[in-house]
Amino acid sequence: MTSPPKFLPSACSSDVHSPLSGSESWTSLIECPADFPEELFDTAVSQLIHHPEYNSTLILRSETICDSFDVSGFSPLIPTLDGFQKSRCIHRKILPRRPGRDASLEQYCTLYNGTSRPSHTVLILTPIFSEKDPLPYYHPRVAHLAFRYIQSHDTESGSALLRIEAIPLPDTPLDQNSRLFRTSLALLETLHRYGWGAMTNYRKRVNHDVLVPREPYQDLYLVMRERHRGLVDTWQEVTDPLKHVFEDIGIATYLMLLWKITFGNEEMETDMTTGEPWRKWPRPPAGFIDIGCGNGLLTHILTSEGYEGHGIDVRERTSWKFYPSDTQKHLHVHAFNPLNFDNKFFPPGVFVVANHADELTPWAPVLSTLCSASGYLSIPCCAWDFDVRYERSEKTMFPIPNHNPASSLEDFIKTLNLGGDGSNSSGYSMYRIWLATLSAHTGWEVECETLRIPSTRNWAIVGRGHLISKEESVKNVNEIVQKVKERSLFKPRKPEGKSH
């Protein structure tokens, strides 16, 4: 694939005249060569309109209020330009990542085309604000911000350009160290990258929000973050609280919504401003079991939000005795031994969670089949086989059941959302492929998700549906267990701490 062209921005000199004349005066800020044709401008700016969060960590997302082609109904706030005609207006609402600190903002995103050209070549963003409701910090101090595609015959260089122009608010600094200029530089680079991506049919390396939609996840996460962020200040482990607390809040949020969708329906009450709707949401029929629960934080968050379940680990952690008594009752020292399976914590219908469970990771789908679980979620980290460290090899892959639509290994791998460069040659990629073939071999329909959590190990495999019969699944699992017994390498761990 051809390498993307270098981004070569240059500040517009004060004598660069903006042709975006009308009733107001525009200031040209910054420009760069346009390395894609005019007809792809629409595709490039569509990303800017629908995903403002890609350019600011202070923005959560945008929601479309109205998408109109009826020019007669456009707001009078939208500017009129000489030589251009309004064509489409997307009225959006920008939601902040921290609503307690920043306000939301509505904005008109208006597309224009030249009077003699069908393609859109101008996008103008018009924020809706007033003295009572001023612009939030994340928005530049402008009345309008324009993105332009300028044809080669309209430039002195003879090359097409991308340019950002603005109508700044009074007393807004415009020098190259100003916030407005730096924001414009970042936006121009993003537009340049999107245009090149559209021309080369760029595909995202991973897809988020495959099983759980983005919007309800983000809304619930904000609520859970506020409810549990105090755990950072009371953290008892030597590990980084910022990473572990917010990571487990994200996983708990994901599970709550996954269970709602899996065991009920997506349309149930999700308004986070009316009490605690999740306490009425569907959940696994026999609760959850968090195997290798470690510090017990995920179990604590879920049980404190009304979900029935338990966490087990071979060793009691420092944190356990600092949780409320209700949480402590759900954390247990338990040594797992697949060669003498004790189903004490694995009733039929339980949902198995393996969050960075290390040695227990490959056992998650096996246990889920043995106990007739309602499903499982595994987030693999360190690569373990059933009784030794995993050694990558295609020869160790399990056969894909014929009932699987992706029956060949190559087709099956394409469904796993592995990311990376697509070669899947790294040890971590090979391990995830092995886990996915194991899951299918033990009867589970394989679904994969890249979670929105602060971890490089954020790929998750989910089992909910079944590919093959219960009898065939159990037969395959029993064969796995028998081979582990025959190798005699599995050494059951001894419990460390008081068993609850």
Side-chain angles (χ1 to χ4, degrees):
M1 179 178 171
T2 306
S3 298
K6 191 173 182 180
F7 176 57
L8 299 171
S10 58
C12 296
S13 60
S14 57
D15 59 352
V16 171
H17 172 68
S18 170
L20 294 183
S21 55
S23 59
E24 301 175 277
S25 177
W26 290 81
T27 299
S28 298
L29 296 169
I30 190 168
E31 63 189 22
C32 73
D35 296 300
F36 58 90
E38 176 186 272
E39 56 267 23
L40 292 179
F41 182 76
D42 251 355
T43 304
V45 295
S46 176
Q47 283 282 80
L48 284 175
I49 293 170
H50 296 293
H51 295 285
E53 70 275 14
Y54 292 167
N55 260 90
S56 174
T57 58
L58 301 179
I59 294 175
L60 182 68
R61 66 173 185 270
S62 75
E63 293 181 347
T64 300
I65 297 173
C66 176
D67 187 351
S68 175
F69 294 86
D70 180 10
V71 178
S72 63
F74 285 7
S75 167
L77 292 177
I78 297 171
T80 298
L81 308 177
D82 295 342
F84 296 90
Q85 55 191 20
K86 305 168 189 172
S87 172
R88 178 186 181 188
C89 180
I90 298 170
H91 182 185
R92 71 178 180 181
K93 184 176 185 178
I94 299 175
L95 303 180
R97 190 168 293 277
R98 296 192 175 185
R101 184 183 66 183
D102 298 314
S104 59
L105 174 73
E106 291 187 23
Q107 193 181 59
Y108 296 117
C109 309
T110 311
L111 289 158
Y112 300 71
N113 56 272
T115 53
S116 60
R117 306 187 69 85
S119 300
H120 292 138
T121 54
V122 177
L123 165 68
I124 294 182
L125 306 182
T126 303
I128 305 172
F129 65 101
S130 63
E131 187 174 338
K132 180 183 176 183
D133 298 304
L135 287 173
Y137 177 78
Y138 55 78
H139 194 284
R141 286 181 47 77
V142 296
H144 306 284
L145 190 69
F147 300 80
R148 298 190 56 212
Y149 188 101
I150 306 173
Q151 281 286 350
S152 56
H153 53 72
D154 292 327
T155 66
E156 293 182 6
S157 65
S159 300
L161 292 174
L162 297 175
R163 182 183 294 165
I164 292 184
E165 305 179 10
I167 297 180
L169 296 181
D171 302 321
T172 299
L174 300 176
D175 62 90
Q176 294 185 32
N177 293 317
S178 67
R179 185 162 165 262
L180 174 56
F181 186 88
R182 287 184 281 110
T183 299
S184 299
L185 174 63
L187 289 169
L188 185 66
E189 183 177 16
T190 299
L191 179 59
H192 180 265
R193 185 174 70 252
Y194 286 165
W196 174 255
M199 191 167 72
T200 55
N201 294 314
Y202 168 75
R203 295 177 63 185
K204 292 169 66 176
R205 289 189 172 186
V206 297
N207 293 306
H208 295 276
D209 319 309
V210 176
L211 307 181
V212 172
R214 179 184 67 155
E215 289 78 7
Y217 173 84
Q218 290 179 329
D219 292 343
L220 181 59
Y221 176 80
L222 289 178
V223 174
M224 290 297 120
R225 186 184 67 186
E226 292 306 308
R227 290 169 70 90
H228 297 285
R229 65 186 309 157
L231 291 164
V232 171
D233 300 323
T234 59
W235 191 244
Q236 300 298 321
E237 307 292 340
V238 297
T239 49
D240 180 8
L242 290 175
K243 177 185 185 300
H244 287 276
V245 170
F246 294 114
E247 181 176 319
D248 281 8
I249 290 173
I251 295 170
T253 300
Y254 183 84
L255 282 168
M256 292 162 70
L257 288 163
L258 180 71
W259 293 337
K260 172 178 173 288
I261 294 167
T262 302
F263 303 108
N265 63 73
E266 212 169 318
E267 281 67 47
M268 292 191 67
E269 177 64 53
T270 56
D271 184 0
M272 301 305 160
T273 63
T274 56
E276 301 174 347
W278 56 86
R279 293 189 181 270
K280 297 180 181 179
W281 289 351
R283 54 206 60 212
F288 70 88
I289 180 67
D290 183 4
I291 61 175
C293 68
N295 56 49
L297 179 57
L298 180 59
T299 298
H300 166 65
I301 295 171
L302 289 170
T303 55
S304 67
E305 295 301 345
Y307 289 82
E308 181 61 37
H310 299 271
I312 58 173
D313 203 286
V314 73
R315 178 169 62 88
E316 183 176 358
R317 299 301 201 276
T318 303
S319 297
W320 290 16
K321 61 178 177 290
F322 289 92
Y323 291 127
S325 58
D326 284 348
T327 295
Q328 293 184 41
K329 291 186 295 186
H330 293 87
L331 296 171
H332 312 272
V333 174
H334 180 79
F336 167 72
N337 183 358
L339 309 184
N340 185 21
F341 180 52
D342 177 3
N343 62 0
K344 176 182 177 182
F345 296 106
F346 297 87
V350 74
F351 191 97
V352 177
V353 179
N355 173 26
H356 295 181
D358 294 346
E359 297 102 318
L360 296 181
T361 298
W363 289 103
V366 173
L367 287 170
S368 300
T369 296
L370 281 175
C371 71
S372 299
S374 56
Y376 85 92
L377 169 85
S378 178
I379 308 171
C381 184
C382 301
W384 280 89
D385 203 326
F386 297 106
D387 44 15
V388 293
R389 284 279 189 177
Y390 172 77
E391 294 184 6
R392 57 179 174 176
S393 169
E394 289 191 14
K395 294 179 181 178
T396 64
M397 300 298 173
F398 290 88
I400 308 298
N402 292 332
H403 307 283
N404 192 324
S407 54
S408 75
L409 180 60
E410 185 178 348
D411 290 340
F412 181 69
I413 291 172
K414 292 177 182 177
T415 69
L416 301 182
N417 197 20
L418 294 172
D421 60 7
S423 67
N424 302 318
S425 58
S426 71
Y428 185 55
S429 289
M430 292 289 285
Y431 182 55
R432 290 181 290 164
I433 294 168
W434 180 77
L435 289 174
T437 62
L438 166 64
S439 186
H441 186 64
T442 54
W444 294 98
E445 180 181 352
V446 176
E447 300 176 284
C448 301
E449 183 83 274
T450 303
L451 302 178
R452 294 179 177 273
I453 58 175
S455 173
T456 56
R457 294 293 190 253
N458 61 345
W459 181 86
I461 183 169
V462 177
R464 296 185 295 177
H466 298 278
L467 283 173
I468 54 180
S469 68
K470 174 69 173 177
E471 294 74 17
E472 189 176 351
S473 301
V474 172
K475 172 178 171 291
N476 291 344
V477 164
N478 286 334
E479 287 176 355
I480 289 171
V481 174
Q482 183 59 36
K483 288 179 181 178
V484 173
K485 288 181 178 179
E486 291 171 358
R487 286 198 295 264
S488 300
L489 295 174
F490 187 90
K491 306 296 182 187
R493 300 269 296 275
K494 292 183 180 181
E496 302 175 30
K498 186 173 74 173
S499 182
H500 297 272

